[in-house]
């Protein structure tokens, strides 16, 4: 009984041979172009035996796989246009306002890191505890022990002589001491027209912003009416040459370069020869950033100076060292080594708009007395400012604090 009611399989029935073939079987049996229409009177072939049907199905599968494998690749779609890389300043904050307000605006975080302003906003009592707090703030802000000791001793002496009526009078005296400490080094760079070209050699450790500073100086000098040339002497850092060439194109200034890993002294020599023959007013030579503790690299700077001296005995006329304002007391040891190697004649302190405490400026001024030419207070070209002692102190320690 079970066998009688069992459903018969197609191959067991008498009409199995006339089973309608599948579309895949037809495609395998009658290959044609995809666009060719099927004739209206096309007759279906008689179905093959079961074994042949299996073979045909396998063949159809293989044909389908082969068709997929050999199908022509789709035509490549045009890639969307790449965005042109914008200049570094495009996304930066607007240039700081001119004058003291610009310094205050950009050095707000530096002022907060210095911590002096907070001591006077609460209108403190005029006593030794206040002097101790001021001393701690100065030392923490990297002003250094010698400068801090001199300032505190002066204030303590004057307080005992009852020169200060209140804390605001002490604030005024502190501001005056700080301004007096850095005023002698606030000397802008003056291009000597009798020295043609006036050669500026830039030096510094890695990552302080030498190449960017050169680009900003180039814009400033050109706006002042000087013709100038740049020498891509940072042949060690990847893309440094291309970066300086970009600054040159942006400012319309020629750049002498020999590519990466070239001899930096050779680049400087060629650039000075070219600038001299073409009667340029200024030549700014870039150099690779190097740690001040690496004697071999420091000696290389001496070689660059000697090579320049073969063409012009007085060159370089300015050795400009770029210092990161966030470095702290380590900047003193950096300057000490660079000064011994090449004789630094001017400083640029950068990144003062960040988390720099600002006190290192006072420490540098007291220990070395080397002119501070410029200060970087932002990313814009206009934010490379001629160093102004009074504006700098006013930004860190405003005159109007506390009261009432």
């Amino acid at each position: 009984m079970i066998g009688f009611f069992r459903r018969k399989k197609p191959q067991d029935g008498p009409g199995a041979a006339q089973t309608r073939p599948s579309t895949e079987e037809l495609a395998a049996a009658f290959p044609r172009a995809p666009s060719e229409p099927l004739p209206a009177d096309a007759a279906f072939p008689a179905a093959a035996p079961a074994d042949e049907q299996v073979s045909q199905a396998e063949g159809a599968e293989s044909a389908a796989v082969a068709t997929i494998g050999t199908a022509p690749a789709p035509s490549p779609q045009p890639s969307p246009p790449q965005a042109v890389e914008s200049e570094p300043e495009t996304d930066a904050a607007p240039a700081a306002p001119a004058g003291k307000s610009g310094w205050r605006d950009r050095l707000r975080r530096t002022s907060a890191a210095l911590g002096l302003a907070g001591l006077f906003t609460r209108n403190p009592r005029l006593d030794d505890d206040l002097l101790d707090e001021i001393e701690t703030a100065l030392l923490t802000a990297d002003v250094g022990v010698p400068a801090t000791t001199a300032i505190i001793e002066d204030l303590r002496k004057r307080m005992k002589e009852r020169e200060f009526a209140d804390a605001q009078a002490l604030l005024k005296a502190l501001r005056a001491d700080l301004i007096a400490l850095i005023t002698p080094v606030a000397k802008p760079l003056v291009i000597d027209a009798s020295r043609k070209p006036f050669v500026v050699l830039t030096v510094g450790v890695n990552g302080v912003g030498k190449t960017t500073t050169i680009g900003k100086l180039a814009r400033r000098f050109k706006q002042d009416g000087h013709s100038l040339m740049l020498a891509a002497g940072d042949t060690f850092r990847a893309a440094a040459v291309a970066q300086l060439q970009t600054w040159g194109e942006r400012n319309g200034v020629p750049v002498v370069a020999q590519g990466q890993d070239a001899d930096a002294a050779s680049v400087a020599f060629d650039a000075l020869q070219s600038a001299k023959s073409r009667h340029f007013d200024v030549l700014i030579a870039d150099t690779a950033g190097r740690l001040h503790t690496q004697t071999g690299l420091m000696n290389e700077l001496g070689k660059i100076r000697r090579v320049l001296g073969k063409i012009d005995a007085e060159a370089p006329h300015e050795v400009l060292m770029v210092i990161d304002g966030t470095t702290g007391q380590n900047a003193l040891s950096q300057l000490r080594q660079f000064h011994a190697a090449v004789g630094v004649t001017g400083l640029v302190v950068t990144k003062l708009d960040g988390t720099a405490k600002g006190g290192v400026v006072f420490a540098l001024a007291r220990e070395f007395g080397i002119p501070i030419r410029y200060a970087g207070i932002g990313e814009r070209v206009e934010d490379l400012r001629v160093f102004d002692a009074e504006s700098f102190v006013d930004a860190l320690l405003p005159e109007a604090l506390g009261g009432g």
Side-chain angles (χ1 to χ4, degrees), residues 36-229:
E36 182 181 349
L38 183 66
D41 56 348
F44 294 114
D51 294 340
E52 294 184 12
Q53 289 182 18
V54 174
S55 301
Q56 289 176 359
E58 293 177 352
E61 183 178 357
S62 301
V65 173
T67 303
I68 296 174
T70 59
S75 58
Q77 298 296 324
S79 58
Q82 299 294 325
V84 179
E85 184 177 355
S86 59
E87 295 184 4
E89 307 147 19
T90 303
D91 298 329
K100 290 183 178 181
S101 60
W103 287 82
R104 290 194 204 103
D105 179 66
R106 289 304 172 85
L107 269 64
R108 283 177 297 180
R109 285 191 291 175
T110 302
S111 175
L114 184 63
L116 283 173
L119 298 179
F120 293 92
T121 53
R122 54 185 173 82
N123 196 20
R125 292 180 55 186
L126 188 61
D127 54 17
D128 286 336
D129 290 339
L130 177 59
L131 289 179
D132 291 341
E133 290 185 74
I134 294 174
E135 182 178 22
T136 300
L138 292 175
L139 290 174
T140 306
D142 299 319
V143 174
V145 174
T148 299
T149 301
I151 291 173
I152 295 300
E153 289 303 316
D154 175 68
L155 294 177
R156 194 183 303 278
K157 177 182 177 182
R158 295 168 65 182
M159 188 173 70
K160 289 182 178 179
E161 294 174 354
R162 300 184 181 278
E163 287 190 25
F164 309 133
D166 52 22
Q168 292 302 306
L170 176 62
L171 168 63
K172 186 176 180 180
L174 175 59
R175 280 173 44 86
D177 284 350
L178 292 174
I179 293 174
L181 184 58
I182 59 177
T183 295
V185 299
K187 298 178 182 178
L189 178 61
V190 178
I191 304 299
D192 188 349
S194 64
R195 299 172 174 177
K196 218 168 186 179
F198 186 89
V199 181
V200 180
L201 180 66
T202 58
V203 299
V205 300
N206 312 68
V208 295
K210 291 187 307 302
T211 305
T212 301
T213 298
I214 290 174
K216 294 179 179 181
L217 284 176
R219 175 75 62 87
R220 173 181 288 274
F221 290 160
K222 189 169 183 181
Q223 290 176 343
D224 291 341
H226 298 293
S227 61
L228 70 151
M229 176 181 287

Side-chain angles (χ1 to χ4, degrees), residues 32 42 74 126 132 141 144 159 186 218 221 238 274 330 347 367 402:
R32 66 183 185 278
L126 188 61
D132 291 341
M159 188 173 70
F221 290 160
S274 179
N330 193 37
L347 302 176
E367 180 166 342

Side-chain angles (χ1 to χ4, degrees), residues 268-324:
F269 184 86
D270 290 348
L272 181 52
Q273 275 191 326
S274 179
K276 202 172 186 68
S277 63
R278 297 168 64 180
H279 307 289
F280 280 97
D281 297 333
V282 181
L283 169 65
I284 308 178
D286 192 10
T287 60
R290 64 203 70 219
L291 292 176
H292 56 287
T293 55
Q294 297 176 332
T295 306
L297 295 178
M298 296 303 293
N299 292 338
E300 185 183 74
L301 287 178
K303 175 186 175 183
I304 296 174
R305 187 183 184 106
R306 292 191 301 272
V307 167
L308 291 173
K310 292 181 179 179
I311 301 177
D312 185 344
E314 296 181 346
H317 307 104
E318 175 82 0
V319 178
L320 202 59
M321 181 173 176
V322 183
I323 294 177
D324 186 339

